[in-house]
PDB file of all heavy atoms in Angstrom:
ATOM      1  N   PHE A1484     -60.370   6.580   9.041  1.00 74.00           N
ATOM      2  CA  PHE A1484     -59.274   5.594   9.086  1.00 74.00           C
ATOM      3  C   PHE A1484     -58.212   5.985  10.111  1.00 74.00           C
ATOM      4  O   PHE A1484     -57.034   5.733   9.890  1.00 74.00           O
ATOM      5  CB  PHE A1484     -58.564   5.572   7.718  1.00 74.00           C
ATOM      6  CG  PHE A1484     -59.222   4.673   6.725  1.00 74.00           C
ATOM      7  CD1 PHE A1484     -59.819   5.203   5.584  1.00 74.00           C
ATOM      8  CD2 PHE A1484     -59.224   3.303   6.902  1.00 74.00           C
ATOM      9  CE1 PHE A1484     -60.405   4.377   4.648  1.00 74.00           C
ATOM     10  CE2 PHE A1484     -59.802   2.472   5.966  1.00 74.00           C
ATOM     11  CZ  PHE A1484     -60.401   3.004   4.837  1.00 74.00           C
ATOM     12  N   PHE A1485     -58.621   6.637  11.225  1.00 84.00           N
ATOM     13  CA  PHE A1485     -57.606   7.166  12.129  1.00 84.00           C
ATOM     14  C   PHE A1485     -56.694   6.096  12.730  1.00 84.00           C
ATOM     15  O   PHE A1485     -55.485   6.250  12.757  1.00 84.00           O
ATOM     16  CB  PHE A1485     -58.247   8.013  13.231  1.00 84.00           C
ATOM     17  CG  PHE A1485     -58.780   9.314  12.718  1.00 84.00           C
ATOM     18  CD1 PHE A1485     -60.108   9.695  12.946  1.00 84.00           C
ATOM     19  CD2 PHE A1485     -57.963  10.173  11.999  1.00 84.00           C
ATOM     20  CE1 PHE A1485     -60.597  10.907  12.453  1.00 84.00           C
ATOM     21  CE2 PHE A1485     -58.445  11.381  11.508  1.00 84.00           C
ATOM     22  CZ  PHE A1485     -59.769  11.743  11.734  1.00 84.00           C
ATOM     23  N   TRP A1486     -57.295   4.998  13.216  1.00 81.00           N
ATOM     24  CA  TRP A1486     -56.425   4.015  13.866  1.00 81.00           C
ATOM     25  C   TRP A1486     -55.519   3.325  12.838  1.00 81.00           C
ATOM     26  O   TRP A1486     -54.351   3.030  13.111  1.00 81.00           O
ATOM     27  CB  TRP A1486     -57.224   3.003  14.695  1.00 81.00           C
ATOM     28  CG  TRP A1486     -57.906   1.899  13.919  1.00 81.00           C
ATOM     29  CD1 TRP A1486     -59.184   1.880  13.478  1.00 81.00           C
ATOM     30  CD2 TRP A1486     -57.330   0.646  13.533  1.00 81.00           C
ATOM     31  NE1 TRP A1486     -59.455   0.708  12.823  1.00 81.00           N
ATOM     32  CE2 TRP A1486     -58.328  -0.078  12.843  1.00 81.00           C
ATOM     33  CE3 TRP A1486     -56.074   0.051  13.702  1.00 81.00           C
ATOM     34  CZ2 TRP A1486     -58.116  -1.352  12.316  1.00 81.00           C
ATOM     35  CZ3 TRP A1486     -55.858  -1.218  13.176  1.00 81.00           C
ATOM     36  CH2 TRP A1486     -56.881  -1.906  12.481  1.00 81.00           C
ATOM     37  N   GLU A1487     -56.056   3.112  11.614  1.00 75.00           N
ATOM     38  CA  GLU A1487     -55.208   2.519  10.570  1.00 75.00           C
ATOM     39  C   GLU A1487     -54.059   3.479  10.210  1.00 75.00           C
ATOM     40  O   GLU A1487     -52.919   3.058  10.035  1.00 75.00           O
ATOM     41  CB  GLU A1487     -56.014   2.225   9.298  1.00 75.00           C
ATOM     42  CG  GLU A1487     -56.940   1.037   9.420  1.00 75.00           C
ATOM     43  CD  GLU A1487     -58.361   1.439   9.767  1.00 75.00           C
ATOM     44  OE1 GLU A1487     -58.555   2.521  10.363  1.00 75.00           O
ATOM     45  OE2 GLU A1487     -59.267   0.671   9.433  1.00 75.00           O
ATOM     46  N   LEU A1488     -54.398   4.755  10.135  1.00 81.00           N
ATOM     47  CA  LEU A1488     -53.400   5.758   9.754  1.00 81.00           C
ATOM     48  C   LEU A1488     -52.253   5.803  10.763  1.00 81.00           C
ATOM     49  O   LEU A1488     -51.079   5.741  10.387  1.00 81.00           O
ATOM     50  CB  LEU A1488     -54.068   7.137   9.653  1.00 81.00           C
ATOM     51  CG  LEU A1488     -53.120   8.332   9.491  1.00 81.00           C
ATOM     52  CD1 LEU A1488     -52.469   8.311   8.124  1.00 81.00           C
ATOM     53  CD2 LEU A1488     -53.871   9.657   9.683  1.00 81.00           C
ATOM     54  N   VAL A1489     -52.594   5.894  12.062  1.00 87.00           N
ATOM     55  CA  VAL A1489     -51.525   6.050  13.068  1.00 87.00           C
ATOM     56  C   VAL A1489     -50.688   4.772  13.197  1.00 87.00           C
ATOM     57  O   VAL A1489     -49.457   4.841  13.314  1.00 87.00           O
ATOM     58  CB  VAL A1489     -52.077   6.509  14.447  1.00 87.00           C
ATOM     59  CG1 VAL A1489     -52.705   7.890  14.331  1.00 87.00           C
ATOM     60  CG2 VAL A1489     -53.036   5.515  15.053  1.00 87.00           C
ATOM     61  N   THR A1490     -51.355   3.600  13.147  1.00 81.00           N
ATOM     62  CA  THR A1490     -50.561   2.358  13.268  1.00 81.00           C
ATOM     63  C   THR A1490     -49.673   2.174  12.040  1.00 81.00           C
ATOM     64  O   THR A1490     -48.553   1.676  12.135  1.00 81.00           O
ATOM     65  CB  THR A1490     -51.460   1.116  13.456  1.00 81.00           C
ATOM     66  OG1 THR A1490     -52.462   1.131  12.439  1.00 81.00           O
ATOM     67  CG2 THR A1490     -52.091   1.076  14.815  1.00 81.00           C
ATOM     68  N   LEU A1491     -50.182   2.611  10.897  1.00 78.00           N
ATOM     69  CA  LEU A1491     -49.404   2.532   9.660  1.00 78.00           C
ATOM     70  C   LEU A1491     -48.128   3.374   9.796  1.00 78.00           C
ATOM     71  O   LEU A1491     -47.022   2.912   9.502  1.00 78.00           O
ATOM     72  CB  LEU A1491     -50.272   3.062   8.515  1.00 78.00           C
ATOM     73  CG  LEU A1491     -49.765   2.933   7.095  1.00 78.00           C
ATOM     74  CD1 LEU A1491     -49.329   1.522   6.822  1.00 78.00           C
ATOM     75  CD2 LEU A1491     -50.865   3.335   6.119  1.00 78.00           C
ATOM     76  N   ILE A1492     -48.287   4.608  10.271  1.00 86.00           N
ATOM     77  CA  ILE A1492     -47.113   5.492  10.445  1.00 86.00           C
ATOM     78  C   ILE A1492     -46.160   4.896  11.469  1.00 86.00           C
ATOM     79  O   ILE A1492     -44.942   4.878  11.277  1.00 86.00           O
ATOM     80  CB  ILE A1492     -47.561   6.930  10.837  1.00 86.00           C
ATOM     81  CG1 ILE A1492     -48.269   7.584   9.638  1.00 86.00           C
ATOM     82  CG2 ILE A1492     -46.370   7.776  11.290  1.00 86.00           C
ATOM     83  CD1 ILE A1492     -48.932   8.923   9.916  1.00 86.00           C
ATOM     84  N   ASP A1493     -46.705   4.345  12.584  1.00 85.00           N
ATOM     85  CA  ASP A1493     -45.856   3.730  13.619  1.00 85.00           C
ATOM     86  C   ASP A1493     -45.007   2.602  13.025  1.00 85.00           C
ATOM     87  O   ASP A1493     -43.796   2.524  13.246  1.00 85.00           O
ATOM     88  CB  ASP A1493     -46.700   3.144  14.765  1.00 85.00           C
ATOM     89  CG  ASP A1493     -47.425   4.224  15.556  1.00 85.00           C
ATOM     90  OD1 ASP A1493     -47.026   5.397  15.413  1.00 85.00           O
ATOM     91  OD2 ASP A1493     -48.381   3.897  16.279  1.00 85.00           O
ATOM     92  N   ILE A1494     -45.674   1.707  12.260  1.00 76.00           N
ATOM     93  CA  ILE A1494     -44.957   0.543  11.713  1.00 76.00           C
ATOM     94  C   ILE A1494     -43.910   0.986  10.693  1.00 76.00           C
ATOM     95  O   ILE A1494     -42.811   0.448  10.639  1.00 76.00           O
ATOM     96  CB  ILE A1494     -45.956  -0.486  11.111  1.00 76.00           C
ATOM     97  CG1 ILE A1494     -46.739  -1.146  12.260  1.00 76.00           C
ATOM     98  CG2 ILE A1494     -45.227  -1.563  10.314  1.00 76.00           C
ATOM     99  CD1 ILE A1494     -47.971  -1.907  11.824  1.00 76.00           C
ATOM    100  N   MET A1495     -44.253   1.996   9.898  1.00 76.00           N
ATOM    101  CA  MET A1495     -43.302   2.515   8.910  1.00 76.00           C
ATOM    102  C   MET A1495     -42.070   3.100   9.597  1.00 76.00           C
ATOM    103  O   MET A1495     -40.937   2.864   9.192  1.00 76.00           O
ATOM    104  CB  MET A1495     -43.950   3.599   8.042  1.00 76.00           C
ATOM    105  CG  MET A1495     -44.925   3.053   7.050  1.00 76.00           C
ATOM    106  SD  MET A1495     -44.083   1.929   5.942  1.00 76.00           S
ATOM    107  CE  MET A1495     -45.447   1.332   5.010  1.00 76.00           C
ATOM    108  N   LEU A1496     -42.302   3.869  10.657  1.00 85.00           N
ATOM    109  CA  LEU A1496     -41.168   4.459  11.395  1.00 85.00           C
ATOM    110  C   LEU A1496     -40.307   3.366  12.010  1.00 85.00           C
ATOM    111  O   LEU A1496     -39.078   3.428  11.967  1.00 85.00           O
ATOM    112  CB  LEU A1496     -41.682   5.414  12.484  1.00 85.00           C
ATOM    113  CG  LEU A1496     -42.255   6.752  11.988  1.00 85.00           C
ATOM    114  CD1 LEU A1496     -42.962   7.480  13.123  1.00 85.00           C
ATOM    115  CD2 LEU A1496     -41.151   7.644  11.413  1.00 85.00           C
ATOM    116  N   LEU A1497     -40.971   2.345  12.565  1.00 80.00           N
ATOM    117  CA  LEU A1497     -40.233   1.222  13.166  1.00 80.00           C
ATOM    118  C   LEU A1497     -39.394   0.514  12.090  1.00 80.00           C
ATOM    119  O   LEU A1497     -38.212   0.211  12.296  1.00 80.00           O
ATOM    120  CB  LEU A1497     -41.215   0.240  13.820  1.00 80.00           C
ATOM    121  CG  LEU A1497     -40.590  -1.030  14.425  1.00 80.00           C
ATOM    122  CD1 LEU A1497     -39.680  -0.675  15.592  1.00 80.00           C
ATOM    123  CD2 LEU A1497     -41.677  -2.002  14.881  1.00 80.00           C
ATOM    124  N   GLY A1498     -40.025   0.268  10.935  1.00 69.00           N
ATOM    125  CA  GLY A1498     -39.319  -0.405   9.831  1.00 69.00           C
ATOM    126  C   GLY A1498     -38.084   0.360   9.399  1.00 69.00           C
ATOM    127  O   GLY A1498     -37.013  -0.211   9.215  1.00 69.00           O
ATOM    128  N   HIS A1499     -38.215   1.680   9.279  1.00 75.00           N
ATOM    129  CA  HIS A1499     -37.077   2.499   8.844  1.00 75.00           C
ATOM    130  C   HIS A1499     -36.007   2.575   9.924  1.00 75.00           C
ATOM    131  O   HIS A1499     -34.811   2.644   9.616  1.00 75.00           O
ATOM    132  CB  HIS A1499     -37.553   3.903   8.457  1.00 75.00           C
ATOM    133  CG  HIS A1499     -38.195   3.933   7.122  1.00 75.00           C
ATOM    134  ND1 HIS A1499     -37.632   4.527   6.026  1.00 75.00           N
ATOM    135  CD2 HIS A1499     -39.349   3.369   6.673  1.00 75.00           C
ATOM    136  CE1 HIS A1499     -38.425   4.352   4.977  1.00 75.00           C
ATOM    137  NE2 HIS A1499     -39.475   3.653   5.357  1.00 75.00           N
ATOM    138  N   TRP A1500     -36.422   2.585  11.165  1.00 79.00           N
ATOM    139  CA  TRP A1500     -35.461   2.585  12.285  1.00 79.00           C
ATOM    140  C   TRP A1500     -34.647   1.289  12.233  1.00 79.00           C
ATOM    141  O   TRP A1500     -33.424   1.302  12.302  1.00 79.00           O
ATOM    142  CB  TRP A1500     -36.237   2.736  13.605  1.00 79.00           C
ATOM    143  CG  TRP A1500     -35.390   2.598  14.832  1.00 79.00           C
ATOM    144  CD1 TRP A1500     -34.049   2.812  14.944  1.00 79.00           C
ATOM    145  CD2 TRP A1500     -35.837   2.223  16.151  1.00 79.00           C
ATOM    146  NE1 TRP A1500     -33.622   2.594  16.227  1.00 79.00           N
ATOM    147  CE2 TRP A1500     -34.709   2.228  16.998  1.00 79.00           C
ATOM    148  CE3 TRP A1500     -37.069   1.887  16.692  1.00 79.00           C
ATOM    149  CZ2 TRP A1500     -34.774   1.906  18.347  1.00 79.00           C
ATOM    150  CZ3 TRP A1500     -37.138   1.580  18.042  1.00 79.00           C
ATOM    151  CH2 TRP A1500     -36.015   1.579  18.856  1.00 79.00           C
ATOM    152  N   ILE A1501     -35.338   0.143  12.072  1.00 69.00           N
ATOM    153  CA  ILE A1501     -34.641  -1.157  11.995  1.00 69.00           C
ATOM    154  C   ILE A1501     -33.703  -1.178  10.787  1.00 69.00           C
ATOM    155  O   ILE A1501     -32.559  -1.618  10.871  1.00 69.00           O
ATOM    156  CB  ILE A1501     -35.664  -2.325  11.905  1.00 69.00           C
ATOM    157  CG1 ILE A1501     -36.426  -2.452  13.232  1.00 69.00           C
ATOM    158  CG2 ILE A1501     -34.971  -3.646  11.560  1.00 69.00           C
ATOM    159  CD1 ILE A1501     -37.626  -3.383  13.170  1.00 69.00           C
ATOM    160  N   GLU A1502     -34.207  -0.648   9.673  1.00 65.00           N
ATOM    161  CA  GLU A1502     -33.389  -0.641   8.444  1.00 65.00           C
ATOM    162  C   GLU A1502     -32.098   0.136   8.655  1.00 65.00           C
ATOM    163  O   GLU A1502     -31.009  -0.347   8.365  1.00 65.00           O
ATOM    164  CB  GLU A1502     -34.189  -0.002   7.304  1.00 65.00           C
ATOM    165  CG  GLU A1502     -33.349   0.239   6.066  1.00 65.00           C
ATOM    166  CD  GLU A1502     -34.063   1.087   5.020  1.00 65.00           C
ATOM    167  OE1 GLU A1502     -35.313   1.135   5.029  1.00 65.00           O
ATOM    168  OE2 GLU A1502     -33.368   1.681   4.202  1.00 65.00           O
ATOM    169  N   MET A1503     -32.229   1.358   9.197  1.00 73.00           N
ATOM    170  CA  MET A1503     -31.035   2.187   9.377  1.00 73.00           C
ATOM    171  C   MET A1503     -30.077   1.569  10.383  1.00 73.00           C
ATOM    172  O   MET A1503     -28.863   1.655  10.245  1.00 73.00           O
ATOM    173  CB  MET A1503     -31.431   3.602   9.798  1.00 73.00           C
ATOM    174  CG  MET A1503     -32.065   4.361   8.659  1.00 73.00           C
ATOM    175  SD  MET A1503     -32.005   6.134   8.883  1.00 73.00           S
ATOM    176  CE  MET A1503     -30.352   6.514   8.380  1.00 73.00           C
ATOM    177  N   ALA A1504     -30.655   0.911  11.412  1.00 71.00           N
ATOM    178  CA  ALA A1504     -29.805   0.257  12.421  1.00 71.00           C
ATOM    179  C   ALA A1504     -29.004  -0.866  11.772  1.00 71.00           C
ATOM    180  O   ALA A1504     -27.805  -1.032  12.043  1.00 71.00           O
ATOM    181  CB  ALA A1504     -30.661  -0.298  13.561  1.00 71.00           C
ATOM    182  N   SER A1505     -29.644  -1.639  10.875  1.00 60.00           N
ATOM    183  CA  SER A1505     -28.927  -2.761  10.267  1.00 60.00           C
ATOM    184  C   SER A1505     -27.879  -2.271   9.274  1.00 60.00           C
ATOM    185  O   SER A1505     -26.786  -2.803   9.194  1.00 60.00           O
ATOM    186  CB  SER A1505     -29.890  -3.737   9.608  1.00 60.00           C
ATOM    187  OG  SER A1505     -30.708  -3.063   8.705  1.00 60.00           O
ATOM    188  N   VAL A1506     -28.209  -1.199   8.527  1.00 61.00           N
ATOM    189  CA  VAL A1506     -27.223  -0.658   7.584  1.00 61.00           C
ATOM    190  C   VAL A1506     -26.036  -0.092   8.353  1.00 61.00           C
ATOM    191  O   VAL A1506     -24.876  -0.334   8.027  1.00 61.00           O
ATOM    192  CB  VAL A1506     -27.858   0.424   6.670  1.00 61.00           C
ATOM    193  CG1 VAL A1506     -26.794   1.169   5.886  1.00 61.00           C
ATOM    194  CG2 VAL A1506     -28.849  -0.215   5.719  1.00 61.00           C
ATOM    195  N   GLN A1507     -26.341   0.656   9.430  1.00 66.00           N
ATOM    196  CA  GLN A1507     -25.251   1.231  10.227  1.00 66.00           C
ATOM    197  C   GLN A1507     -24.421   0.136  10.877  1.00 66.00           C
ATOM    198  O   GLN A1507     -23.211   0.217  10.944  1.00 66.00           O
ATOM    199  CB  GLN A1507     -25.815   2.161  11.301  1.00 66.00           C
ATOM    200  CG  GLN A1507     -26.086   3.542  10.751  1.00 66.00           C
ATOM    201  CD  GLN A1507     -26.363   4.550  11.862  1.00 66.00           C
ATOM    202  OE1 GLN A1507     -26.076   4.302  13.022  1.00 66.00           O
ATOM    203  NE2 GLN A1507     -26.927   5.667  11.508  1.00 66.00           N
ATOM    204  N   GLY A1508     -25.120  -0.901  11.358  1.00 60.00           N
ATOM    205  CA  GLY A1508     -24.405  -2.015  12.005  1.00 60.00           C
ATOM    206  C   GLY A1508     -23.422  -2.652  11.061  1.00 60.00           C
ATOM    207  O   GLY A1508     -22.286  -2.954  11.421  1.00 60.00           O
ATOM    208  N   ALA A1509     -23.846  -2.840   9.809  1.00 53.00           N
ATOM    209  CA  ALA A1509     -22.965  -3.474   8.831  1.00 53.00           C
ATOM    210  C   ALA A1509     -21.839  -2.530   8.420  1.00 53.00           C
ATOM    211  O   ALA A1509     -20.772  -2.957   8.040  1.00 53.00           O
ATOM    212  CB  ALA A1509     -23.768  -3.891   7.614  1.00 53.00           C
TER     213      ALA A1509
END
Side-chain angles (χ1 to χ4, degrees):
F1484 275 114
F1485 289 126
W1486 78 265
E1487 286 97 335
L1488 170 70
V1489 296
T1490 50
L1491 187 51
I1492 291 172
D1493 293 344
I1494 290 166
M1495 287 299 175
L1496 287 169
L1497 177 65
H1499 283 250
W1500 174 24
I1501 292 169
E1502 171 190 337
M1503 289 201 80
S1505 54
V1506 169
Q1507 277 192 16

